Amino acid sequence: MAWQPQLIRSVDAAGNPVLSLGHTLVDDYLAFVAARCRPNTLLATAYDLKVFFSSIPKEPADVVTADIFAFITAQKAPRRGPKVIRLEDGEAGLSARTIKRRLASISGLFGYFATRDDLTIERNPVPTGLANRRRGERRGSPLLRTPRTLPRVLGSAEVEAVLDALNTRRDRAMVLAMLLGGLRRCEVLGLRLGDLSPGEHRVFISEGKGGHQRLIPISATFFTAVGDYLDQERPAVDHDHVFVVLRGPTRGRPLSADGLDEILDGVRKRTGLPRLTCHQLRHTCLTRLREAGMALEAVQAQAGHRSIESTRIYLHLANAWLVKQYLDASAAIDADRTNF
């Protein structure tokens, strides 16, 4: 009988997260990931593998490429009825990005197995792409095509509505960190008192994505909001996390990702912005910086992108910048025509 994966969470003696799915080999791989990746990456990997082995109830050694294609088909199946699709990509099942991430987790597992000389699993069943022929040339196409969609950004009126809907000074400071500094959710929650430099209007990001650190400027408006929160709301605690729980039995403990999501959920209901997310606040900040003329390399540094390709999307989002570039080029073309 095939094993049934169960995601079990615990912590080790050092307080680090430990995840288990109930299979010795898979749990060995999760321990391997835990030693090299951030907790969010570990959790995503464990969940992806749970979904896969729940859908394909086989021992890892018995998984073949046909099972991968069956898994892709199941993931692309309609979730809310065949007539309900997403406007951004026209799909009814999970997004291509989600499926692609899950395939990467599965491929990582079998790649790990293949490098171990004590196992008989030598082949990775996840194909890297699909071979095809065109005019005599052998080429490869991706297993899944991921549409490049532009993230939504907030307008000025929507930003004001969000700020007006916040209930506490703490919440205002956290939202401004994303709106004015472009911080990610995990970076906001990871801020410590020593990371703030009010005199220089700079913040040190010590827990960035992938463990990368950076020192970035943020508007004085953010530091004013943080000062109001620290002076009037933050309880006395024995740690240096900036943002903490203000009420209830966990008062004084560092605010969790679920806590911040709950705050945003309340803002969505009060503002009528059902798609509002922390990442949308970040996108809004970086788009406005690009529209104001900030160099693309500077936006990359502010955002903490490892590759400039991740930042190029703001070339498309910054409409005012694009319009100016087009008008300047069009004027030059028109002037050139008059010389004939």
Side-chain angles (χ1 to χ4, degrees), residues 290-294 315-333:
R290 181 57 198 161
E291 285 181 332
M294 192 173 187
L315 289 174
H316 305 287
L317 287 174
N319 295 325
W321 173 85
L322 176 60
V323 170
K324 182 180 184 303
Q325 294 293 311
Y326 173 81
L327 292 177
D328 290 347
S330 180
I333 293 172

Side-chain angles (χ1 to χ4, degrees), residues 61-97:
D62 298 330
V63 174
V64 295
T65 301
D67 296 322
I68 303 300
F69 288 116
F71 177 70
I72 294 174
T73 300
Q75 296 295 287
K76 296 177 71 173
R79 289 296 194 267
R80 299 181 180 179
K83 296 184 179 181
V84 180
I85 63 173
R86 290 184 299 276
L87 294 178
E88 55 263 34
D89 58 12
E91 296 293 334
L94 290 179
S95 70
R97 287 188 181 88

